[in-house]
Coordinates of all heavy atoms in Angstrom, one line a residue:
K307 N -42.2 42.1 -20.4 CA -41.2 42.0 -19.3 C -39.9 41.4 -19.9 O -38.9 41.8 -19.5 CB -41.7 41.1 -18.1 CG -42.8 41.8 -17.3 CD -43.3 40.8 -16.2 CE -44.4 41.6 -15.2 NZ -44.7 40.6 -14.2
S308 N -40.1 40.5 -20.8 CA -38.9 39.7 -21.3 C -38.1 40.8 -22.2 O -36.9 40.8 -22.2 CB -39.4 38.6 -22.3 OG -38.2 38.0 -22.7
E309 N -38.8 41.5 -23.1 CA -38.2 42.5 -23.9 C -37.6 43.7 -23.1 O -36.4 44.2 -23.4 CB -39.2 43.1 -24.9 CG -39.7 42.0 -25.9 CD -40.6 42.6 -27.0 OE1 -41.1 43.8 -26.7 OE2 -40.9 41.9 -28.0
N310 N -38.2 44.1 -21.9 CA -37.6 45.2 -21.2 C -36.3 44.8 -20.5 O -35.4 45.4 -20.4 CB -38.7 45.5 -20.1 CG -38.2 46.8 -19.3 OD1 -37.8 47.7 -19.8 ND2 -38.3 46.7 -18.0
L311 N -36.2 43.4 -20.1 CA -35.0 42.9 -19.5 C -34.0 42.8 -20.6 O -32.7 43.2 -20.4 CB -35.3 41.4 -19.1 CG -36.0 41.2 -17.7 CD1 -36.2 39.8 -17.5 CD2 -35.1 41.9 -16.5
E312 N -34.3 42.5 -21.9 CA -33.4 42.5 -22.9 C -32.8 43.9 -23.1 O -31.5 44.1 -23.4 CB -34.0 41.9 -24.2 CG -34.2 40.5 -24.1 CD -34.9 39.9 -25.3 OE1 -35.2 40.7 -26.3 OE2 -35.4 38.7 -25.2
R313 N -33.6 44.9 -23.2 CA -33.2 46.3 -23.3 C -32.2 46.7 -22.3 O -31.1 47.2 -22.6 CB -34.4 47.2 -23.3 CG -35.3 47.2 -24.5 CD -36.4 48.4 -24.3 NE -37.5 48.1 -25.0 CZ -38.6 47.6 -24.8 NH1 -38.8 47.2 -23.5 NH2 -39.7 47.5 -25.6
Q314 N -32.5 46.5 -21.1 CA -31.7 47.0 -19.9 C -30.4 46.1 -19.9 O -29.2 46.7 -19.6 CB -32.5 46.7 -18.5 CG -33.6 47.5 -18.4 CD -34.4 47.2 -17.1 OE1 -33.9 47.4 -16.0 NE2 -35.6 46.6 -17.2
C315 N -30.5 44.8 -20.1 CA -29.3 44.0 -20.0 C -28.3 44.3 -21.1 O -27.0 44.5 -20.9 CB -29.7 42.6 -20.2 SG -28.4 41.4 -19.9
L316 N -28.7 44.6 -22.3 CA -27.8 45.0 -23.4 C -27.2 46.3 -23.2 O -26.0 46.5 -23.3 CB -28.6 45.0 -24.8 CG -27.7 45.3 -26.0 CD1 -26.6 44.4 -26.2 CD2 -28.6 45.3 -27.2
A317 N -28.0 47.4 -22.8 CA -27.5 48.7 -22.5 C -26.4 48.5 -21.4 O -25.4 49.3 -21.4 CB -28.6 49.6 -22.1
K318 N -26.7 47.8 -20.3 CA -25.8 47.8 -19.2 C -24.5 47.1 -19.7 O -23.3 47.5 -19.3 CB -26.4 46.9 -18.1 CG -25.5 46.6 -16.8 CD -25.4 48.0 -16.0 CE -24.5 47.7 -14.9 NZ -25.1 46.6 -13.9
A319 N -24.6 46.1 -20.5 CA -23.3 45.4 -21.0 C -22.4 46.3 -21.9 O -21.3 46.4 -21.6 CB -23.7 44.1 -21.8
I320 N -23.1 47.2 -22.7 CA -22.3 48.0 -23.6 C -21.8 49.2 -22.6 O -20.5 49.6 -22.8 CB -23.4 48.8 -24.6 CG1 -23.8 47.7 -25.6 CG2 -22.7 49.9 -25.3 CD1 -24.9 48.1 -26.5
G321 N -22.5 49.6 -21.6 CA -21.9 50.6 -20.7 C -20.8 50.1 -19.9 O -19.7 50.8 -19.9
S322 N -20.8 48.9 -19.4 CA -19.6 48.2 -18.8 C -18.4 48.1 -19.7 O -17.3 48.3 -19.3 CB -20.1 46.9 -18.2 OG -21.1 47.0 -17.2
Y323 N -18.7 47.6 -20.8 CA -17.5 47.5 -21.8 C -16.9 48.9 -22.1 O -15.7 48.9 -22.1 CB -18.1 46.9 -23.1 CG -17.0 46.6 -24.2 CD1 -16.5 45.4 -24.2 CD2 -16.7 47.6 -25.1 CE1 -15.6 45.0 -25.2 CE2 -15.8 47.4 -26.1 CZ -15.1 46.1 -26.1 OH -14.3 45.8 -27.1
C324 N -17.8 49.9 -22.4 CA -17.1 51.2 -22.6 C -16.5 51.8 -21.5 O -15.5 52.6 -21.6 CB -18.4 52.2 -23.1 SG -18.9 51.7 -24.8
E325 N -16.9 51.5 -20.3 CA -16.2 52.0 -19.1 C -15.0 51.1 -18.6 O -14.4 51.3 -17.6 CB -17.2 52.1 -17.9 CG -18.2 53.1 -18.2 CD -19.3 53.1 -17.2 OE1 -19.3 52.3 -16.2 OE2 -20.3 53.9 -17.3
L326 N -14.6 50.3 -19.5 CA -13.4 49.4 -19.3 C -13.7 48.6 -18.0 O -12.8 48.4 -17.3 CB -12.1 50.2 -19.1 CG -11.8 51.1 -20.3 CD1 -10.4 51.7 -20.1 CD2 -11.9 50.5 -21.7
R327 N -14.9 48.0 -17.8 CA -15.0 47.2 -16.5 C -14.9 45.7 -16.9 O -15.0 44.9 -16.0 CB -16.5 47.5 -16.1 CG -16.6 48.9 -15.5 CD -18.1 49.2 -15.1 NE -18.1 50.6 -14.5 CZ -17.7 51.0 -13.4 NH1 -17.3 50.2 -12.6 NH2 -17.9 52.3 -13.1
V328 N -14.8 45.4 -18.1 CA -14.8 43.9 -18.6 C -13.4 43.4 -18.9 O -12.8 44.0 -19.8 CB -15.8 43.7 -19.6 CG1 -15.9 42.3 -20.1 CG2 -17.1 44.4 -19.4
L329 N -12.9 42.4 -18.3 CA -11.6 41.7 -18.6 C -11.8 40.3 -18.7 O -12.6 39.6 -18.1 CB -10.7 42.0 -17.5 CG -10.1 43.5 -17.4 CD1 -9.5 43.8 -16.0 CD2 -9.2 43.8 -18.5
P330 N -10.9 39.7 -19.6 CA -10.9 38.3 -19.8 C -10.3 37.5 -18.6 O -9.5 37.9 -17.8 CB -9.9 38.0 -20.9 CG -9.0 39.2 -20.8 CD -9.7 40.3 -20.4
Y331 N -11.1 36.3 -18.3 CA -10.7 35.5 -17.1 C -10.9 34.0 -17.5 O -12.1 33.5 -17.9 CB -11.6 35.8 -15.9 CG -11.4 35.0 -14.7 CD1 -10.1 34.8 -14.2 CD2 -12.6 34.5 -14.0 CE1 -9.9 34.0 -13.1 CE2 -12.3 33.6 -13.0 CZ -11.0 33.4 -12.4 OH -10.9 32.6 -11.3
E332 N -9.8 33.2 -17.5 CA -9.9 31.9 -17.8 C -10.3 31.7 -19.2 O -10.2 32.6 -20.1 CB -10.7 31.0 -16.8 CG -10.1 31.0 -15.4 CD -10.8 30.1 -14.5 OE1 -12.1 29.9 -14.7 OE2 -10.3 29.6 -13.5
E333 N -10.9 30.4 -19.7 CA -11.2 30.2 -21.0 C -12.4 31.0 -21.5 O -12.5 31.3 -22.7 CB -11.4 28.7 -21.2 CG -10.0 27.9 -21.1 CD -9.0 28.4 -22.2 OE1 -9.4 28.5 -23.3 OE2 -7.9 28.6 -21.8
N334 N -13.6 31.0 -20.7 CA -14.8 31.4 -21.2 C -15.5 32.3 -20.1 O -16.7 32.1 -20.1 CB -15.6 30.2 -21.7 CG -16.7 30.7 -22.6 OD1 -16.5 31.4 -23.5 ND2 -17.9 30.1 -22.3
R335 N -14.7 33.0 -19.5 CA -15.4 33.8 -18.4 C -15.0 35.4 -18.4 O -14.1 35.6 -19.2 CB -15.2 33.2 -17.0 CG -15.6 31.7 -17.0 CD -15.0 31.0 -15.7 NE -15.7 31.5 -14.5 CZ -15.4 31.3 -13.2 NH1 -14.3 30.5 -12.9 NH2 -16.1 31.7 -12.2

Side-chain angles (χ1 to χ4, degrees):
K307 287 181 178 180
S308 180
E309 290 182 350
N310 191 45
L311 282 175
E312 290 172 7
R313 292 187 192 97
Q314 295 178 64
C315 189
L316 181 58
K318 180 74 182 298
I320 294 171
S322 294
Y323 185 91
C324 289
E325 292 172 4
L326 307 188
R327 296 184 181 277
V328 188
L329 286 165
Y331 176 50
E332 295 185 332
E333 287 300 315
N334 199 44
R335 304 171 71 188

